[in-house]
Amino acid sequence: MQQKDVLPMKTKPTEKFELTADTLNISGSEAVIRSLIAEGVETIFGYPGGAIMPIYDALYDFQDKVHHILVRHEQGATHAAQGYARTSGKVGVVFATSGPGATNLVTGLADAYMDSTPMVCITGQVAAALLGTDAFQETDVIGITMPITKWNIQVTRPEDIPGAIAKAFYIAASGRPGPVLVDITKNAQAAKFDYEYSKCDYIRSYRPVPVLDPAAIDAAAALINSAKKPYILCGHGVLISGAEKELIAFAEKAQIPIASTLLGLSAVPVDHPLYVGYLGMHGNYAPNIMTNECDVVIAVGMRFDDRITGDVSHYIKQAKVIHIEIDAAEIHKIIKADVPVHADAKTALKALTAKVNVAKHDEWLQEFKEADKKEQEKVIQPELYPTGDQLKMAEVIRRISEKTGGHAVLVTDVGQHQMIASRYYRFKDPNTNITSGGMGTMGFALPAAMGAKVGVPEKEVVAIIGDGCFQMTLQELGTIYQSEIGVKIVILNNNFLGMVRQWQQLFHDKRYSSTEMINPDFVQIAKGFYIPGKKVSTRGEIDAAIDEMLAHKGAYLLEVVVEQEGNVFPMVPAGAPIANIRLD
């Protein structure tokens, strides 16, 4: 995805930003703010510092047009921008200073890169004359971030700022989205120039939206029309493309079961009759097992991650593979496609639906139902309706799902609680599952949830966080309080790094090395940030506590003490074939 360029650049002008006569000659810093406004930016997540101070000074005069949210750590800014982008459909924007400010963005950039989230990060840099001198807070942010950005650039002249920002937004949002970084030296921020702005919608040699090949659609349709056991694997690309309705129309016409990847969750309502469950290491039993029983796989907007495939040498060897994917680099990378469809998911699904036959696959769908009975009996029902004294994570998620009707935006951190929430929350609406998939970044949920809430203020946003994850970014409670962001925070506390402990139990003879947590009083910490909260530990308390949390108008923290050594099943052991999935 990396694109390299040298400024000055030539872009095709499409839309001019109107300027008054007295603002034509402006500083580079003001040009940054005006360029963001021209791109429709309304919210910026950031943290000021010396090298970006001129841009913050310029921002002071535009507070009626752009809302800046002061985070407590630059990593929090990137995750907040991710949550904002994935709920609002807009590009997330981040400000940070040079040196440690810029390097603190690295984790969020890598996370956004792996999960295809559009983000533009603008960093301040030392003056051009000081580059390469190891000046105070000088860091080679371009070299550091090149592998984890879709494109990055360093700007040393004020007249190059508008073009760089225009190009950044175009690249970040087009094709397979991703993060972009623009590093601007302090002299470029300070110097004046004659400003004008043109949005970018064309870059020579960059083709973000491939042209659909009708022959590929014909070949795919022929395979599907002759299939006895066709199977759709739905990935994040369906949501990015906005192809949820097209996917369902396609599946309904040909009566094809649909399974979802972790990031594909919420593309299809979980109560849809053709939805068969969640794929992956801790996904549902039936969709995993049936992957090796189908005869045609239609993979849409997914990249065959190792958490989906397990041992690739034993994965879908019996099936023909149709891979619909906008990024050519993902086709044939892990799984060889019999019919590669290099296209946007929405475009491809529309064309494919017109070509496939109306069909019925009742016996094939029944096989999923039969396999599901095993998981229901052995795992799901005991998790959702336990009889023991200790609360289980699954029953907490079930209650939250019931009380929100499956319509809340669920933002999950990384670990056991992430897998449990993904398995048991009953998603009804698109783009309501916000999580860190490819990177698996602990500490993601709290800042991502506040960004998600800013993106869709009318929706209920609930962050599901483990006790370990919460302590990675809990300082963002300060941001939530100061900016009055009404997120609901649920800490599922088992006093362990739960997922690591589970692996230690199952594969390392219960040698619990450095995974037990001695935790602080989370409710008291929240109160220190003027956020109300409650701690519960019994089944009789949980319903009223969730009701109180959801009824509260602002931010609220609910700590739920759950069983210490609960495990997440089913589970495919790392590196094993998916046929080796364990129910206990």
Side-chain angles (χ1 to χ4, degrees):
M1 295 169 69
Q2 179 72 27
Q3 299 284 332
K4 299 175 71 174
D5 207 310
V6 177
L7 285 177
M9 62 205 132
K10 294 180 179 179
T11 62
K12 182 179 175 183
T14 57
E15 182 178 335
K16 290 289 183 76
F17 179 57
E18 292 184 9
L19 297 165
T20 59
D22 60 344
T23 58
L24 285 173
N25 188 262
I26 60 173
S27 69
S29 297
E30 186 174 339
V32 170
I33 306 303
R34 287 188 174 274
S35 298
L36 295 178
I37 293 170
E39 290 291 340
V41 173
E42 297 174 342
T43 303
I44 299 166
F45 302 92
Y47 202 96
I52 200 170
M53 203 176 298
I55 291 175
Y56 271 90
D57 184 66
L59 179 63
Y60 188 87
D61 293 326
F62 292 88
Q63 295 177 68
D64 59 331
K65 293 184 174 63
V66 183
H67 177 47
H68 179 273
I69 294 178
L70 176 64
V71 298
R72 297 306 186 260
H73 190 284
E74 291 88 353
Q75 181 181 340
T78 57
H79 295 327
Q82 287 176 269
Y84 176 85
R86 284 166 63 177
T87 56
S88 70
K90 301 175 183 178
V91 176
V93 179
V94 173
F95 280 178
T97 194
S98 63
T103 58
N104 281 344
L105 303 180
V106 167
T107 297
L109 284 166
D111 197 296
Y113 186 75
M114 291 196 74
D115 287 352
S116 304
T117 304
M119 182 165 66
V120 171
C121 293
I122 296 174
T123 52
Q125 183 56 274
V126 300
L130 294 176
L131 290 173
T133 69
D134 294 329
F136 177 67
Q137 291 192 334
E138 180 200 357
T139 304
D140 180 11
V141 66
I142 298 300
I144 290 169
T145 63
M146 186 172 288
I148 53 170
T149 51
K150 192 175 176 185
W151 180 68
N152 66 15
I153 194 164
Q154 187 172 78
V155 180
T156 60
R157 304 187 308 164
E159 55 267 34
D160 294 331
I161 288 173
I165 291 177
K167 191 172 182 182
F169 275 83
Y170 177 54
I171 291 173
S174 58
R176 180 181 179 177
V180 170
L181 183 138
V182 181
D183 191 47
I184 307 175
T185 59
K186 203 165 184 180
N187 62 290
Q189 298 174 45
K192 291 190 174 184
F193 72 109
D194 290 337
Y195 172 82
E196 64 175 340
Y197 193 81
S198 296
K199 284 190 178 183
C200 175
D201 70 354
Y202 171 79
I203 300 171
R204 190 177 63 186
S205 80
Y206 175 56
R207 298 290 180 269
V209 182
V211 177
L212 182 65
D213 180 5
I217 294 297
D218 289 342
L223 274 182
I224 294 165
N225 288 336
S226 63
K228 302 298 183 186
K229 296 182 176 183
Y231 191 16
I232 297 169
L233 310 184
C234 163
H236 192 200
V238 173
L239 289 157
I240 292 170
S241 176
E244 302 89 358
K245 291 180 180 178
E246 287 75 13
L247 177 69
I248 291 171
F250 164 64
E252 287 178 345
K253 183 176 181 182
Q255 285 295 289
I256 304 174
I258 308 168
S260 170
T261 67
L262 173 63
L263 289 177
L265 285 169
S266 80
V268 180
V270 297
D271 56 0
H272 191 283
L274 292 174
Y275 181 74
V276 294
Y278 159 48
L279 292 161
M281 177 177 280
H282 291 287
N284 296 114
Y285 180 73
N288 276 307
I289 288 293
M290 292 303 159
T291 306
N292 283 341
E293 299 295 327
C294 62
D295 56 6
V296 172
V297 163
I298 307 105
V300 188
M302 55 90 74
R303 57 189 179 86
F304 291 107
D305 177 80
D306 63 289
R307 287 299 193 261
I308 298 294
T309 66
D311 183 353
V312 177
S313 67
H314 292 85
Y315 185 73
I316 54 174
K317 293 299 180 183
Q318 81 294 340
K320 297 291 185 182
V321 177
I322 300 163
H323 193 179
I324 300 172
E325 173 59 50
I326 198 167
D327 185 356
E330 295 296 345
I331 297 175
H332 305 308
K333 186 175 84 173
I334 307 296
I335 299 295
K336 180 174 174 54
D338 296 279
V339 180
V341 182
H342 181 212
D344 171 74
K346 180 180 281 194
T347 303
L349 287 168
K350 280 183 179 179
L352 196 55
T353 303
K355 295 280 186 176
V356 296
N357 297 334
V358 175
K360 285 190 175 182
H361 297 289
D362 294 342
E363 291 182 6
W364 172 228
L365 288 163
Q366 186 60 34
E367 289 187 43
F368 283 90
K369 293 176 183 177
E370 293 300 321
D372 182 60
K373 289 179 183 177
K374 295 181 181 179
E375 185 183 352
Q376 287 286 343
E377 181 179 337
K378 197 155 191 177
V379 179
I380 294 176
Q381 292 305 311
E383 286 289 309
L384 292 179
Y385 303 97
T387 56
D389 292 333
Q390 291 185 310
L391 279 169
K392 285 182 173 287
M393 293 186 188
E395 63 178 311
V396 179
I397 299 300
R398 172 179 65 81
R399 284 170 159 86
I400 293 171
S401 183
E402 290 169 351
K403 290 175 182 296
T404 59
H407 297 295
V409 175
L410 205 69
V411 186
T412 54
D413 222 292
V414 173
Q416 286 185 316
H417 61 279
Q418 176 192 34
M419 297 296 100
I420 291 290
S422 301
R423 285 174 52 78
Y424 296 112
Y425 191 81
R426 306 286 291 171
F427 295 100
K428 297 289 181 64
D429 305 322
N431 296 307
T432 52
N433 168 53
I434 312 298
T435 196
S436 172
M439 272 287 282
T441 302
M442 290 182 67
F444 172 87
L446 188 63
M450 67 189 191
K453 181 65 174 178
V454 173
V456 285
E458 73 283 1
K459 279 187 168 285
E460 191 74 81
V461 175
V462 181
I464 306 295
I465 312 178
D467 47 307
C469 292
F470 182 72
Q471 293 176 79
M472 293 230 173
T473 52
L474 63 80
Q475 68 274 4
E476 297 307 332
L477 290 173
T479 307
I480 290 168
Y481 171 67
Q482 181 172 341
S483 295
E484 300 180 340
I485 303 171
V487 297
K488 305 301 189 285
I489 304 155
V490 179
I491 300 175
L492 298 179
N493 182 7
N494 58 10
N495 292 107
F496 266 109
L497 297 176
M499 188 59 82
V500 183
R501 184 214 55 76
Q502 177 170 335
W503 284 42
Q504 288 173 338
Q505 176 187 335
L506 298 177
F507 308 117
H508 297 276
D509 299 321
K510 292 190 176 181
R511 291 160 61 88
Y512 294 162
S513 177
S514 301
T515 48
E516 188 169 4
M517 304 284 286
I518 298 176
N519 289 318
D521 186 332
F522 293 123
V523 173
Q524 196 63 33
I525 287 173
K527 287 181 179 178
F529 287 97
Y530 309 102
I531 295 172
K534 177 173 283 189
K535 179 178 180 176
V536 298
S537 57
T538 66
R539 194 159 288 123
E541 299 173 290
I542 190 67
D543 282 319
I546 294 172
D547 288 340
E548 181 178 326
M549 175 185 73
L550 294 175
H552 186 73
K553 290 185 178 180
Y556 189 100
L557 184 143
L558 174 62
E559 178 188 355
V560 184
V561 179
V562 295
E563 63 176 331
Q564 277 203 303
E565 297 186 53
N567 290 331
V568 186
F569 287 106
M571 178 180 184
V572 180
I578 56 173
N580 291 11
I581 188 169
R582 297 175 50 169
L583 289 172
D584 56 22

